[in-house]
Amino acid sequence: MDDFGMRARIAQAGAPLRWIFAAILAALLFATQARGATLDSRLSGLATRGLAGSGNNVMIAGFFIQQGEPKTVLVRALGPGLSTQGIGLGSLEDPVLRVYDSSGALVRENDDWSSFDSATMEGVGLSPPALGSRDAAIVLTLPAGAYTAQVSGSGGATGIVLLEVYDVSGPARLIAISTRAPVGQGDNVLIAGLAVAGGAPSRRILLRAGGPMLASLLPAGTAVLSNPVLSVVGAGGATIAVNDDWDANNANAAGALSAAFVQAGVMPFSAGSRDAALVLDLAPGAYSILVRNADSSTGVGLVEAYDITADDGRSEAVENPVASLFIANLAVPTESNSTAFGTATLQLAPDATSATLSLTFYNLSGTPTSAHLAIDGVFIRGLPARHASGIVWNFRQTGAYSATDLAAAVRAGRVMVSIDTVLHPEGELLGAFTRSTGASDFTVPPAPPAVALGSISDQDAARFLAQATFGATRADMNRLKQVGYSAWMAEQVAIARSVHRNFTMADFERFTRSATTVRPNGGNRQAAWWEIAVNGPDQLRQRVAFALSEIFVISDQNGIVAGAQEGAANYYDLLARNAFGNFRTLIEEVTLSPMMGIYLSSLRNAKGTVDGQGNILSSPDENYAREVMQLFTIGLRQLNPDGTLRLDSSGEPIPTYDQQTISELARVLTGWSYASTAANPDFRRAGADYINPMRHFPAFHDDGAKTIVNGRVIPAGQGGPADLRDALDTLFYHPNVPPFISRQLIQRLVTSNPSRGYVYRVAQVFSDNGSGVRGDLGAVVRAILLDYEARSPAQLANPAFGKLKEPLLRATALFRAMGAASNAGRLSISNPESSLAQAALRSPTVFNFFEPDYAVPGTLASAGLFAPEFQILTDTTAITVPNFYYSYINRTRSTTDPTQQAIGLDYTSVMALARTPKALVDEIALLLAGGNLTVEARTRIVAALQALPAATSDVNRVRVATYLVLTCASSAVQK
């Protein structure tokens, strides 16, 4: 083993008592919460409780500080102080605390603590001991290296003591901690408390429980644990992970652990040894680490924790002496018909006293009249109304804002850029700065720990189905548990596709057609969408198609699309058909779809014309050329393979294209109009065909040479179809596409803030499915849903993991779980957007209902977290969304009118639980919240049900439970 774990060879540490370890968890949790506002997470503390005395009967803990500037640590030994935590009986009356360095030299000693240390304790959220108590504490600043903290009893006394080590400050990280103690029988296990502090992201922690490996390191004859079992317990009491023998029965896990040993610089365990180890991604919070023996024997055990988190561009964001990068995507307001776009970047100086800005924008309706920064709509600073870089903003008192306030506003996403023009004096382009990450040199993220996919619990199944379907049902949960994840997905891929066009036309024929109504309307298509989403057997395909519809956006907010609902339904089928197909096919079919041609004006897009003097009379429409790059394939800025930004030598992001690139691609996209079987169809007057792919008209195509993205030259004279093929191939093979599309699909299915490792792993599958195929969306979907971050139960404790559920998906989950139906056999919800701010193919703009990089100003933005769905959570929808759910939960279908279209729910599956509130809430929470209710929410809902009058009917009890579960905060978040 390494020096660190056994640096000070002190023979015996006192055995802990029962593993009810409230004192340690409470202390660590307070410290974590106190530091929760920081933008980075870190391994921040260790606490161990046990017996300490004199001689060899001392308590010992080790800790290791990484290379870097010195770190300040707080070390405490509480004996009398335990009485404030309800553990006064048997506590050590007068602990003596000593800290040794790696050579065994005494660094500092303390008998009775000093009140001078109170401020440090309070700074990490700890209550200082009572004044005059004989507890011990040391605050000291240490260089990198290994250290041992030791507690003994003054005058030979023995008693229970709590030994704590906390990371207080300094750029270097506390990266390793350990404790050693005898392990007894029954409840006399070795237990240590561990804290990860900060806001986000999680830390990768290597945990080891040594037993057999100690035999050669301890004095001869010392009994060591023969077969340690390592368990990790979260603050809520749930067991997160267990390991018995570190390399048994799992070669992949053993390989990952061996790599982690090397990364941590520790002595590896012998092959086949019965020592235990785990690698876990632990979110900020408090954890207990338990070590017991697999049999009834006793002996000395060692528990170690190493922070092996790779620097991913987000950790240590505050303390690294480099500028923080913020980006504002400049877009037109929703109500504007401008085609302008742009970007602003802001680099916040390390000391947060200034910032450097740059500004680029294109396609304004006229010359910009002004540009400025604002905080919450209040003017702060003017900007050059032109392309500019290197703009220095020195923070100083500005109105009500101090220099510190200005820096805080930048971090909190409250600073907005506005570019004003004559036609748009209130801002033709607007955008708020949000934190971004990037690097000029890419490093491959480390592989995640292995995650067990064999045994599937009810909660595992419910979580998976929330990601992979429109909502969990008991039948789907049981099937998934029976066959496993991979087989279930294979079954879903094989199921015949539900066809929206067919359902739309059937609904039209049955409910709408008349002598004067000869085309389906939006209500017919919406009814078809709800029917397929709620009752369609091909749930995975349709769920992915819905995700794609929020990336490759068309909308019947466009009047022509609204009048062509059969075509809109056919476009949705295009997405569903390609949901498991190849991305190259998908992007070509989207490009040639007449509905996309209508929506983004590439239909009847003709080559430019000039007069005899060379003056430009007309130019190709650039709308689709811009959006196929910005939104559908490569994005605005160059990306690393993990989705983070590629930065230039000055720390600025690198654009993927410019206005000239858009103009050149627009020339490629000329000459396409409606399909026609006529011998000589008219480019501009041919009858509308909303179903078949657009047809090429050579006379209207610009056949000159074009230079598109990445400098690709498309030669002159090869014709429109060949030009289109070359352009789409160039986009398809652009290195941005795998991370750009993978991240958005992860966001739509699993979590708003995937780690760079998650994006990288999925993007690698996009690049190569394992058989040399690029763009295999079926393989990408499998990679997303089976990734460690999607399936690991440890992510339930990660506050940065998950996503706000889309209101539409909460509604479909309710309908699926509770068998929504109408007597007429139709799910008619014509305008759900009026309550839910969403309806399929009804986005207000091409940017979808919400944008992938939207950040809620305030705490989430300060933590560098995106929250796309929050963009449609307003003071209005906070009321209309739960009211929508309430109206359906409490609706009763007629028992006499078979033609009634009112939708009602069927509570038969849970009615038997109506008089057992706890079981009822647990079942509904499983179906609607993935079992993710907080303890507080569950307790309150159960209490509300128990308080209902005895005469309350069973169905009303179920309705109350359903409404309270569906509308509580923890149910609104998908974990």
Side-chain angles (χ1 to χ4, degrees):
M1 139 170 221
D2 64 307
D3 280 350
F4 153 66
M6 293 295 298
R7 186 78 67 180
R9 306 217 175 180
I10 301 174
Q12 293 291 331
L17 301 180
R18 301 181 64 83
W19 70 273
I20 304 172
F21 212 36
I24 289 177
L25 283 180
L28 287 171
L29 186 56
F30 290 154
T32 300
Q33 290 172 337
R35 304 195 58 183
T38 60
L39 300 185
D40 60 318
S41 58
R42 70 193 61 206
L43 181 61
S44 66
L46 167 77
T48 307
R49 195 190 75 184
L51 289 173
S54 59
N56 288 333
N57 294 316
V58 297
M59 177 174 288
I60 177 174
F63 58 98
F64 192 92
I65 299 172
Q66 73 168 170
Q67 291 296 321
E69 295 181 25
K71 167 158 290 300
T72 302
V73 295
L74 164 66
V75 186
R76 301 201 311 178
L78 297 185
L82 290 177
S83 61
T84 63
Q85 300 169 13
I87 317 178
L89 185 64
S91 62
L92 186 62
E93 295 181 356
D94 188 5
V96 178
L97 176 62
R98 298 178 177 88
V99 175
Y100 296 88
D101 66 16
S102 59
S103 69
L106 179 65
V107 177
R108 187 79 60 83
E109 177 178 353
N110 178 259
D111 189 350
D112 301 330
W113 75 287
S114 168
S115 59
F116 288 111
D117 297 328
S118 295
T120 301
M121 297 180 194
E122 292 169 349
V124 292
L126 298 172
S127 298
L131 289 174
S133 79
R134 309 197 72 179
D135 300 288
I138 298 172
V139 176
L140 68 172
T141 301
L142 300 170
Y147 299 89
T148 298
Q150 171 186 312
V151 182
S152 59
S154 178
T158 301
I160 299 172
V161 69
L162 178 66
L163 174 58
E164 304 168 299
V165 180
Y166 290 98
D167 177 345
V168 176
S169 68
R173 290 208 313 265
L174 180 65
I175 60 171
I177 48 183
S178 75
T179 189
R180 193 191 76 195
V183 178
Q185 300 178 1
D187 289 335
N188 292 319
V189 299
L190 168 59
I191 177 166
L194 172 70
V196 177
S202 58
R203 306 299 299 181
R204 177 150 298 177
I205 306 295
L206 166 64
L207 298 170
R208 309 208 315 171
M213 53 88 69
L214 293 173
S216 62
L217 301 170
L218 293 175
T222 303
V224 298
L225 282 186
S226 60
N227 188 5
V229 178
L230 174 65
S231 304
V232 180
V233 178
T239 298
I240 295 173
V242 178
N243 177 257
D244 186 355
D245 301 332
W246 76 278
D247 64 347
N249 305 319
N250 192 330
N252 290 332
L257 285 169
S258 295
F261 297 163
V262 173
Q263 185 178 351
V266 298
M267 185 182 78
F269 290 151
S270 300
S273 81
R274 311 199 76 175
D275 303 288
L278 290 163
V279 172
L280 298 173
D281 286 335
L282 295 181
Y287 302 88
S288 292
I289 307 167
L290 283 67
V291 179
R292 59 179 176 81
N293 214 37
D295 54 34
S296 59
S297 63
T298 63
V300 174
L302 175 78
V303 62
E304 303 170 293
Y306 298 87
D307 187 343
I308 58 171
T309 311
D311 181 9
D312 63 358
R314 295 187 299 173
S315 61
E316 305 299 318
V318 173
E319 295 178 342
N320 280 347
V322 295
S324 298
L325 178 64
F326 297 81
I327 292 179
N329 291 325
L330 305 183
V332 299
T334 302
E335 65 277 4
S336 173
N337 59 0
S338 168
T339 59
F341 68 100
T343 296
T345 65
L346 181 152
Q347 294 190 50
L348 185 64
D351 61 2
T353 61
S354 65
T356 304
L357 298 95
S358 65
L359 192 62
T360 57
F361 46 83
Y362 303 97
N363 271 25
L364 292 176
S365 60
T367 302
T369 56
S370 65
H372 67 273
L373 302 177
I375 297 178
D376 303 333
V378 177
F379 177 92
I380 292 296
R381 187 189 191 282
L383 295 172
R386 54 179 171 76
H387 295 262
S389 61
I391 308 167
V392 178
W393 178 17
N394 290 310
F395 297 156
R396 56 176 61 92
Q397 185 76 35
T398 306
Y401 298 101
S402 67
T404 301
D405 293 335
L406 294 176
V410 169
R411 294 190 182 104
R414 296 168 55 209
V415 176
M416 176 166 281
V417 183
S418 177
I419 311 295
D420 312 322
T421 59
V422 172
L423 295 179
H424 303 274
E426 299 302 316
E428 183 165 347
L429 283 175
L430 302 170
F433 285 110
T434 56
R435 183 181 295 276
S436 191
T437 56
S440 54
D441 297 318
F442 172 70
T443 58
V444 175
V451 59
L453 299 177
S455 177
I456 302 175
S457 67
D458 278 351
Q459 185 174 22
D460 293 336
R463 286 184 65 221
F464 177 85
L465 293 171
Q467 299 164 355
T469 73
F470 284 100
T473 67
R474 260 295 164 188
D476 282 345
M477 288 170 58
N478 292 338
R479 181 60 180 170
L480 177 63
K481 291 167 62 179
Q482 178 186 6
V483 303
Y485 297 116
S486 295
W488 184 89
M489 284 191 285
E491 290 178 350
Q492 284 288 303
V493 171
I495 291 174
R497 175 171 55 87
S498 301
V499 181
H500 286 256
R501 182 185 175 196
N502 292 350
F503 275 79
T504 298
M505 297 309 295
D507 190 85
F508 165 68
E509 295 292 344
R510 183 178 176 193
F511 295 102
T512 307
R513 180 183 281 279
S514 68
T516 58
T517 305
V518 296
R519 287 184 176 181
N521 58 36
N524 300 127
R525 185 178 61 77
Q526 291 296 326
W529 185 89
W530 283 96
E531 176 63 30
I532 292 172
V534 173
N535 296 315
D538 54 332
Q539 281 288 302
L540 179 60
R541 178 185 295 277
Q542 296 298 330
R543 182 69 180 80
V544 175
F546 181 65
L548 292 173
S549 77
E550 295 185 316
I551 300 173
F552 301 92
V553 172
I554 70 164
S555 173
D556 64 10
Q557 296 289 310
N558 174 288
I560 299 176
V561 175
Q565 293 291 342
E566 183 180 5
N570 187 69
Y571 178 80
Y572 202 101
D573 288 329
L574 179 161
L575 301 177
R577 182 172 64 250
N578 288 286
F580 306 136
N582 194 278
F583 184 83
R584 176 61 178 80
T585 303
L586 170 65
I587 195 61
E588 180 164 334
E589 292 193 8
V590 164
T591 300
L592 295 180
S593 165
M595 302 311 294
M596 180 60 77
I598 291 167
Y599 186 63
L600 289 182
S601 56
S602 60
L603 182 109
R604 292 174 175 161
N605 184 24
K607 64 183 178 181
T609 58
V610 297
D611 63 16
Q613 286 72 45
N615 298 311
I616 297 175
L617 300 177
S618 66
S619 299
D621 187 286
E622 296 178 349
N623 207 12
Y624 186 72
R626 179 177 57 255
E627 308 307 354
V628 73
M629 292 191 290
Q630 178 179 352
L631 301 178
F632 301 167
T633 54
I634 62 176
L636 290 168
R637 291 168 283 272
Q638 293 185 27
L639 303 176
N640 291 311
D642 59 2
T644 58
L645 296 175
R646 284 189 62 204
L647 304 181
D648 62 19
S649 58
S650 62
E652 289 283 335
I654 305 168
T656 49
Y657 59 89
D658 58 16
Q659 179 58 38
Q660 182 62 32
T661 314
I662 296 173
S663 299
E664 293 286 279
L665 184 59
R667 295 173 57 213
V668 171
L669 297 168
T670 53
W672 297 91
S673 187
Y674 286 117
S676 175
T677 57
N680 295 295
D682 189 297
F683 177 75
R684 300 195 183 279
R685 297 178 180 82
D689 182 338
Y690 300 126
I691 304 301
N692 292 300
M694 292 189 292
R695 171 175 174 165
H696 191 256
F697 291 74
F700 294 86
H701 176 66
D702 184 333
D703 221 10
K706 302 104 177 166
T707 303
I708 59 170
V709 69
N710 274 5
R712 170 72 183 273
V713 176
I714 295 180
Q718 65 176 9
D723 281 3
L724 181 65
R725 179 200 63 218
D726 287 354
L728 295 182
D729 281 348
T730 302
L731 292 175
F732 176 61
Y733 285 102
H734 192 287
N736 266 31
V737 175
F740 183 75
I741 295 298
S742 295
R743 174 180 178 254
Q744 290 192 71
L745 287 175
I746 294 171
Q747 286 185 309
R748 300 280 53 80
L749 299 177
V750 179
T751 181
S752 296
N753 292 278
S755 72
R756 73 183 192 98
Y758 193 179
V759 175
Y760 175 77
R761 293 188 292 273
V762 176
Q764 291 299 103
V765 173
F766 188 109
S767 299
D768 185 341
N769 67 356
S771 299
V773 176
R774 182 182 179 88
D776 180 350
L777 292 176
V780 168
V781 170
R782 286 191 293 273
I784 290 171
L785 294 175
L786 296 183
D787 189 83
Y788 169 82
E789 291 189 35
R791 300 276 60 84
S792 172
Q795 296 290 28
L796 292 172
N798 183 352
F801 181 81
K803 62 197 293 284
L804 184 69
K805 295 177 185 173
E806 297 176 50
L808 203 63
L809 296 183
R810 293 172 72 189
T812 59
L814 170 67
F815 285 6
R816 280 178 54 75
M818 301 302 176
S822 73
N823 291 350
R826 184 190 195 210
L827 296 179
S828 178
I829 309 175
S830 296
N831 299 295
E833 72 279 5
S834 61
S835 295
L836 304 179
Q838 282 185 288
L841 297 189
R842 198 163 284 174
S843 163
T845 74
V846 72
F847 296 99
N848 188 30
F849 306 101
F850 39 78
E851 298 177 38
D853 289 341
Y854 176 75
V856 182
T859 303
L860 292 180
S862 293
L865 296 176
F866 299 111
E869 294 82 1
F870 275 90
Q871 199 166 4
I872 56 173
L873 177 59
T874 66
D875 51 358
T876 300
T877 59
I879 297 172
T880 60
V881 168
N883 284 350
F884 178 95
Y885 304 147
Y886 182 87
S887 67
Y888 287 98
I889 288 170
N890 290 282
R891 185 171 296 176
T892 302
R893 289 163 57 186
S894 170
T895 58
T896 59
D897 181 5
T899 65
Q900 185 193 50
Q901 293 187 28
I903 299 170
L905 305 185
D906 182 354
Y907 297 108
T908 303
S909 63
V910 293
M911 196 64 70
L913 304 175
R915 298 281 169 172
T916 53
K918 292 181 180 179
L920 177 63
V921 170
D922 286 346
E923 179 67 10
I924 294 175
L926 195 65
L927 294 170
L928 300 183
N932 190 43
L933 286 192
T934 63
V935 174
E936 293 79 5
R938 181 180 181 277
T939 300
R940 290 187 178 187
I941 295 172
V942 169
L945 295 175
Q946 292 171 335
L948 291 174
T952 304
S953 68
D954 285 0
V955 68
N956 281 337
R957 290 176 183 275
V958 172
R959 284 171 170 165
V960 169
T962 301
Y963 179 74
L964 292 178
V965 169
L966 185 61
T967 57
C968 75
S970 52
S971 178
V973 175
Q974 175 183 301
K975 294 293 281 187

